Amino acid sequence: MSKQFIENKLGNKINYDPNGKKYRYFVDGDPKSSVTTIINKRTRPDLQNWYKDNRYKAIKEIMLKDNQPLDKINIFIDKVKYIAEQKESFGREIGSQLHDWIDIYFKSKKEPVLPESEPLRTMAQKWLKFWKAQKFKVVASELPLYSSKFDCCGTNDVIVTKDSWNGKNAVLDWKTSKDYSFEQAIQVEMYRRFIEETTDFKIQKLAVVNIPKEPQKEVSMYIIKLDEKYFKGFKAMKYIDKLESEFNADLKQWKKENNKNVSKK
């Protein structure tokens, strides 16, 4: 997906760069966090590097006990790190590429050429089969959103409807993860609220569509009930963020004021 600039009905100017390094969203010139960043911060604590370091240290300890030379151990660990990073990067890139292909499909006058590489090609084929069977109609796709109420952004994958829905709309979100998770429900609920706050669309349905990387699995769609509990979950995460920020500011000030005493201790 390429960079986008839109102005919502409230006059907010949103710049969205999917490849932005520190921030992907700027609103009226100011950097903004995304819904997924806020959710993932609380549901996926940043312990991954700590876990990885412990694994590498464990490998080193075992090999040292086996009287392996240190240079051989370090070369082996570097190889493990490289392969692991390649696998993680591959998983992320597959999801991004599939999102891009689907968005091109929506915005092209004719069906785009299928990807050549696997598993991306099979994933696109499975999604295409699912899409045609559902007979959805696109209302809007890849829509950058900004909520002044929550001072954060997000990009909804697609808003759809059906002839049989009598004007009702649904928010769909594409996922390529192994399974569904509750943070996905929070995400689509917040997209619903952002959309209704900043556009003229009304959303009556929510769903997460899983497009698996595994060739033997088919695409599935999990319907999310409109429920206040997911909104409460997001508000709790925002409150904890605010509390943490205030605590860190107080701690920084305390350290500054008591620097000599702290040093002595």
Side-chain angles (χ1 to χ4, degrees):
M1 184 181 171
S2 58
K3 295 180 182 179
Q4 288 195 69
F5 170 80
I6 69 164
E7 183 173 346
N8 65 23
K9 74 173 188 179
L10 303 180
N12 299 121
K13 297 177 176 64
I14 306 170
N15 280 284
Y16 172 58
D17 180 0
N19 299 312
K21 292 184 178 179
K22 189 171 183 181
Y23 290 97
R24 292 183 298 159
Y25 296 93
F26 283 81
V27 179
D28 300 325
D30 296 323
K32 300 294 179 182
S33 295
S34 70
V35 170
T36 50
T37 298
I38 293 167
I39 294 173
N40 289 342
K41 186 178 180 182
R42 296 303 160 195
T43 58
R44 302 176 191 177
D46 189 21
L47 297 174
Q48 293 301 316
N49 290 332
W50 181 76
Y51 293 146
K52 291 175 185 176
D53 286 343
N54 277 343
R55 292 189 187 106
Y56 300 141
K57 287 175 183 176
I59 292 171
K60 191 170 187 175
E61 287 178 14
I62 291 169
M63 294 183 76
L64 284 171
K65 286 179 181 178
D66 288 342
N67 293 318
Q68 297 292 326
L70 184 61
D71 55 345
K72 181 181 179 181
I73 294 171
N74 288 334
I75 290 170
F76 177 76
I77 290 175
D78 284 343
K79 286 181 179 178
V80 172
K81 287 181 180 179
Y82 175 77
I83 293 171
E85 286 167 2
Q86 289 293 106
K87 287 182 176 293
E88 290 167 8
S89 176
F90 177 76
R92 289 191 299 269
E93 288 174 3
I94 286 294
S96 296
Q97 289 181 49
L98 183 64
H99 274 74
D100 286 346
W101 187 86
I102 292 172
D103 193 47
I104 291 169
Y105 176 88
F106 288 153
K107 293 174 179 175
S108 298
K109 292 182 180 179
K110 62 179 182 179
E111 191 172 307
V113 176
L114 284 168
E116 291 185 343
S117 62
E118 291 293 356
L120 188 58
R121 182 182 179 88
T122 299
M123 292 168 75
Q125 288 174 324
K126 288 191 291 188
W127 175 86
L128 200 55
K129 178 184 175 183
F130 160 84
W131 179 259
K132 291 180 177 179
Q134 289 292 328
K135 301 187 184 303
F136 288 127
K137 290 186 176 181
V138 175
V139 176
S141 69
E142 293 291 349
L143 182 64
L145 302 161
Y146 169 69
S147 167
S148 57
K149 289 181 181 178
F150 299 98
D151 194 30
C152 64
C153 297
T155 299
N156 169 234
D157 285 339
V158 68
I159 302 172
V160 299
T161 189
K162 287 185 178 184
D163 291 335
S164 60
W165 286 0
N166 298 318
K168 292 181 180 179
N169 296 318
V171 162
L172 302 186
D173 204 61
W174 318 124
K175 297 297 181 186
T176 58
S177 51
K178 285 187 176 294
D179 203 353
Y180 297 101
S181 59
F182 88 98
E183 60 260 35
Q184 295 169 358
I186 295 174
Q187 183 182 352
V188 292
E189 169 60 22
M190 294 315 298
Y191 285 167
R192 179 184 76 83
R193 290 175 180 266
F194 287 13
I195 289 165
E196 293 191 347
E197 175 191 343
T198 62
T199 75
D200 294 324
F201 300 125
K202 297 299 179 185
I203 306 298
Q204 293 82 17
K205 300 172 184 286
L206 303 173
V208 176
V209 178
N210 184 264
I211 310 154
K213 300 180 184 74
E214 298 85 354
Q216 70 276 14
K217 291 184 180 179
E218 293 298 323
V219 174
S220 61
M221 180 168 64
Y222 182 62
I223 308 297
I224 308 292
K225 294 180 181 178
L226 272 63
D227 197 312
E228 191 75 10
K229 64 186 177 185
Y230 298 123
F231 176 52
K232 289 179 179 178
F234 185 77
K235 286 198 296 183
M237 292 172 185
K238 285 284 288 182
Y239 178 76
I240 293 172
D241 270 358
K242 179 175 178 289
L243 192 63
E244 182 181 40
S245 179
E246 290 173 353
F247 172 82
N248 288 337
D250 290 344
L251 181 62
K252 184 178 180 181
Q253 183 64 28
W254 180 83
K255 286 182 176 180
K256 183 178 179 181
E257 292 172 353
N258 297 276
N259 186 50
K260 290 182 179 179
N261 293 333
V262 172
S263 298
K264 285 179 181 179
K265 290 179 182 179

